Amino acid sequence: MAAARLCRCRCRALLSRPAGAVRARRGLAAGPEMHFGFQTVTEEERREKIYQVFENVAKKYDVMNDSMTLGIHRVWKDILVHKMNPCPGTLLLDVAGGTGDIAFRFINYVRSVRQRQLQRKLKHHQNLSWQQIFESYQKDEFNSLGDSQVVVCDINREMLKVGKQKAEHLGYSEGLSWVLGNAEELPFDDDKFDVYTIAFGIRNVTRIDLALQEAYRVLKPGGRFLCLEFSHVSNPLLSRLYDLYSFQVIPVLGEVIAGDWRSYQYLVESIRQFPPQVVNNYGTYFSGGAEGNDRRCRLFQSGL
Amino acid sequence: MRPLLLRAARAGLPLLRGAPASPGKARPSHSEPRGRDGRGEEEEEEEEEMEGWHQLYPGHIPTSPLQKALLAAGSAVMALYDPYRHDMVAVLGETTGCLALPNLRDKMKNHPEGHRILQERPRIRLSTLDVARLRALPGGSLGREYLRFLEDNKVSPDTRMPPKFVDDEELAYVIQRYREVHDLMHTLLGMPTNMLGEVVVKWFEAVQTGLPMCVLGAAFGPVRLSTRKLQVLATELVPWAIRSGLNASCVLNVYYEQRWEQPVESLREELGIFPPPALRV
């Protein structure tokens, strides 16, 4: 049905990056007029409207995701984390992470990697006394994540609230922090994070170029940028079925389940409006520096 | 091809023709969904402002027949599953009322008082009601009893949902009027807002309006009642409600706002509603 595109850029910037000289080329209007679904609005209006959309849908966000993608979004998110393949000690920034799906998966993954690490360590220490094994277990138990941390950053207070409640409900407490912030202007220092993810969030950002600049800024040299987003369906028959399902069924589901037609109409339209060349240009952005060869970027795309 | 038309075409929505809503103005008797024919320049610019859809009135969401069918099915299931979802009952009414609503509108048009209501488009809202004046009215008058009903049952006329899925501006008003007059039905029939009372009023309204939502509500509402109440319902209340509904003239043809002083009994007689059975509901 829908193809989700994953792209990964490896940045090896060793020298100082040019001060804002690099801009991503994109198909969006550069002027004050922007799209909000199929409407035309100003930048400021767009930010406000999108904020309201997610404020309205926050409580039913997960239910609606399941209905809209028939549960497939879980698979895509699992694949994202697998592709990320984080090792214990990774510092992840999940932007537009709202209800915490990526963050929880990250924690689970790192926990299981850590478990395996500990098991392997114990296997090698065959000649330890019981006391020593017990002590090592105790020490490592308190470090079940191996110092990994995930910061969930979202511009919308309601989404973060829902995410925190979910975390409490599911029993996630350590290694997790929730920050209210704008992807276009992140409240973090430079060179802080190992991985930056943004899952189904970038099409809701009003100035994608600023978001990319910020991503570049907060990532450590050698850090990774992963973006999960809907792309267009090329097969004409599938495309028609997908359009039919999106425009006919999804707003109805929004009205029946969440009592909110317009927010889901926006969500469906925003997928259509998100230009595919933005994804292709991530590579251009990260590799187009004046210092040239020190920055290399590889772009991976996988269609599902 | 204009981008606006292209977008609507992709969405598979019917393009509806109609002037922007202006309450209080009489409109032509019917407007049908038209095909994608040429559009006037000014109309398109207006629609660009109104989100690029063909909104016939504020809050209107144009929907295709398939969407209406899905909405009807979905809202019916949800309304049964969660009776507190009043918005689903409202949506069910709008999506299934395509035959009954024009009928009601024609009944109103052909009656002098109903015609006046369609022209003037009065709305029953707490802000428009003169509560102090109603309270000062003698007991037994429509205004006093209506106020008593609102206070006893802790309801307000402002919580009625505005119509969203009715594709005709006049019919949208008709269904809005029906919703706002619902509380007055309770007053005239002497029924409280508990489940039993609501079911009785639904039977009455089903006979009066023919709206499928009322019929479904009347048929499925009793499912959640106890046996004793079902007995009372079946033996006394429903037959009375049906008889009254058949005998009474159309309840939407009454300009209630101009009859607050009229005693309830006299209004019942005038309409043709039989006196309620002497029961505690």
Side-chain angles (χ1 to χ4, degrees):
Chain A
M1 223 187 258
R5 192 177 266 154
L6 198 58
C7 75
R8 186 171 63 180
C9 294
R10 203 163 258 137
C11 315
R12 295 192 198 109
L14 298 175
L15 299 179
S16 63
R17 63 190 74 75
V22 182
R23 289 273 180 277
R25 252 172 278 123
R26 51 199 172 92
L28 295 173
E33 293 250 303
M34 303 208 67
H35 62 83
F36 173 73
F38 288 162
Q39 302 170 50
T40 306
V41 295
T42 62
E43 260 185 39
E44 202 39 59
E45 280 173 2
R46 186 175 194 266
R47 282 196 191 97
E48 255 181 62
K49 282 181 180 256
I50 292 179
Y51 191 92
Q52 275 165 16
V53 163
F54 284 95
E55 201 175 34
N56 295 340
V57 309
K59 293 204 174 76
K60 301 270 175 142
Y61 184 71
D62 293 322
V63 173
M64 279 306 300
N65 271 347
D66 279 330
S67 327
M68 292 200 291
T69 61
L70 304 173
I72 301 178
H73 72 107
R74 295 165 191 255
V75 175
W76 290 333
K77 287 171 181 159
D78 286 336
I79 294 180
L80 174 72
V81 176
H82 271 89
K83 278 215 168 358
M84 192 198 305
N85 193 16
C87 47
T90 305
L91 189 52
L92 166 67
L93 174 64
D94 183 24
V95 175
T99 52
D101 279 344
I102 301 292
F104 302 151
R105 282 172 171 79
F106 171 82
I107 290 179
N108 290 343
Y109 194 96
V110 161
R111 223 178 244 158
S112 66
V113 169
R114 182 82 178 135
Q115 280 286 83
R116 282 203 299 273
Q117 266 184 353
L118 293 176
Q119 279 171 359
R120 257 181 274 138
K121 202 170 91 172
L122 278 178
K123 259 199 202 152
H124 287 132
H125 293 133
Q126 290 298 331
N127 51 352
L128 286 180
S129 70
W130 282 117
Q131 183 63 23
Q132 285 169 310
I133 293 175
F134 177 67
E135 278 168 6
S136 121
Y137 233 123
Q138 280 224 301
K139 188 175 56 158
D140 291 325
E141 209 176 60
F142 288 121
N143 201 1
S144 65
L145 287 180
D147 295 326
S148 319
Q149 268 205 60
V150 52
V151 177
V152 181
C153 180
D154 200 294
I155 198 175
N156 195 297
R157 218 176 282 271
E158 284 303 314
M159 293 289 280
L160 281 179
K161 216 163 76 169
V162 171
K164 278 195 209 160
Q165 285 168 354
K166 249 172 79 176
E168 240 181 74
H169 181 67
L170 295 170
Y172 292 99
S173 51
E174 53 168 7
L176 196 52
S177 38
W178 306 87
V179 174
L180 188 68
N182 186 345
E184 299 167 8
E185 205 179 332
L186 291 172
F188 304 111
D189 286 332
D190 301 0
D191 299 339
K192 197 155 181 260
F193 295 98
D194 299 306
V195 188
Y196 175 115
T197 53
I198 182 163
F200 302 122
I202 204 151
R203 70 176 191 282
N204 299 312
V205 171
T206 303
R207 292 285 303 277
I208 296 183
D209 57 338
L210 294 180
L212 292 178
Q213 272 181 30
E214 283 294 279
Y216 188 63
R217 180 179 69 79
V218 303
L219 276 174
K220 288 182 188 155
R224 284 150 71 211
F225 171 94
L226 283 96
C227 167
L228 179 62
E229 194 47 83
F230 290 105
S231 70
H232 294 220
V233 181
S234 38
N235 179 317
L237 176 63
L238 273 187
S239 171
R240 279 213 60 178
L241 283 174
Y242 179 52
D243 273 355
L244 188 75
Y245 182 73
S246 294
F247 285 104
Q248 302 295 309
V249 180
I250 289 178
V252 172
L253 285 179
E255 179 71 25
V256 171
I257 297 179
D260 189 348
W261 175 285
R262 290 193 197 280
S263 296
Y264 289 94
Q265 181 86 40
Y266 161 73
L267 286 174
V268 164
E269 289 172 1
S270 68
I271 296 174
R272 296 297 176 293
Q273 288 291 93
F274 187 65
Q277 58 263 36
V278 177
V279 175
N280 292 328
N281 283 327
Y282 289 162
T284 320
Y285 179 81
F286 282 106
S287 68
E291 273 72 19
N293 315 341
D294 286 357
R295 244 164 261 116
R296 254 171 250 118
C297 182
R298 259 156 50 225
L299 198 68
F300 293 96
Q301 294 173 19
S302 44
L304 284 148
Chain B
M1 200 188 211
R2 288 185 187 275
L4 175 68
L5 289 177
L6 181 61
R7 285 178 207 141
R10 280 169 78 191
L13 294 179
L15 294 187
L16 298 166
R17 201 149 173 275
S22 41
K25 222 185 196 178
R27 287 198 68 251
S29 58
H30 77 141
S31 62
E32 281 176 335
R34 308 261 174 120
R36 277 160 235 143
D37 41 24
R39 312 280 337 251
E41 189 78 11
E42 342 77 50
E43 274 177 308
E44 272 193 58
E45 273 166 312
E46 274 166 357
E47 279 125 28
E48 282 274 10
E49 285 168 13
M50 294 191 288
E51 298 181 63
W53 299 131
H54 297 239
Q55 258 198 340
L56 297 170
Y57 49 88
H60 179 215
I61 298 174
T63 41
S64 65
L66 174 60
Q67 284 175 320
K68 286 204 177 61
L70 291 172
L71 268 174
S75 60
V77 169
M78 190 53 103
L80 275 177
Y81 173 73
D82 185 359
Y84 289 102
R85 289 289 300 271
H86 300 299
D87 61 327
M88 288 292 101
V89 178
V91 168
L92 183 60
E94 289 169 31
T95 48
T96 51
C98 40
L99 288 173
L101 283 175
N103 235 342
L104 270 178
R105 191 254 317 271
D106 292 340
K107 273 197 211 167
M108 286 175 82
K109 259 195 158 34
N110 297 333
H111 188 278
E113 214 170 329
H115 188 78
R116 225 165 14 103
I117 295 172
L118 278 180
Q119 295 265 20
E120 293 173 25
R121 305 268 180 104
R123 297 288 302 272
I124 302 178
R125 274 209 198 102
L126 276 181
S127 50
T128 56
L129 289 176
D130 189 350
V131 178
R133 187 175 79 97
L134 293 182
R135 210 187 293 282
L137 288 172
S141 63
L142 182 65
R144 188 71 193 88
E145 294 311 310
Y146 177 58
L147 200 62
R148 200 192 306 271
F149 165 81
L150 290 181
E151 285 167 353
D152 284 349
N153 294 278
K154 297 190 191 33
V155 291
S156 148
D158 294 354
T159 56
R160 303 287 159 247
M161 278 211 36
K164 288 193 281 208
F165 302 111
V166 182
D167 291 333
D168 179 299
E169 195 249 332
E170 198 170 36
L171 296 181
Y173 175 74
V174 171
I175 206 172
Q176 177 90 60
R177 181 78 182 159
Y178 153 75
R179 283 181 193 155
E180 289 175 359
V181 153
H182 177 77
D183 289 335
L184 283 156
M185 290 302 100
H186 274 278
T187 313
L188 281 176
L189 297 173
M191 292 289 131
T193 53
N194 56 22
M195 197 66 197
L196 188 58
E198 291 287 356
V199 171
V200 176
V201 177
K202 275 283 166 290
W203 276 97
F204 179 79
E205 285 176 344
V207 172
Q208 274 271 310
T209 63
L211 281 168
M213 178 263 285
C214 299
V215 175
L216 286 172
F220 287 99
V223 156
R224 289 173 178 265
L225 289 173
S226 67
T227 334
R228 190 178 58 81
K229 289 197 176 149
L230 272 174
Q231 209 183 14
V232 170
L233 189 71
T235 51
E236 305 251 0
L237 294 170
V238 168
W240 163 70
I242 295 178
R243 271 186 300 125
S244 295
L246 288 171
N247 190 49
S249 54
C250 181
V251 288
L252 287 182
N253 280 338
V254 179
Y255 209 134
Y256 296 99
E257 291 90 330
Q258 293 176 346
R259 290 173 181 250
W260 294 128
E261 292 88 4
Q262 188 175 0
V264 175
E265 311 254 321
S266 135
L267 187 55
R268 269 192 205 133
E269 253 188 67
E270 188 183 327
L271 280 173
I273 298 175
F274 299 121
L279 286 170
R280 249 189 71 87
V281 177

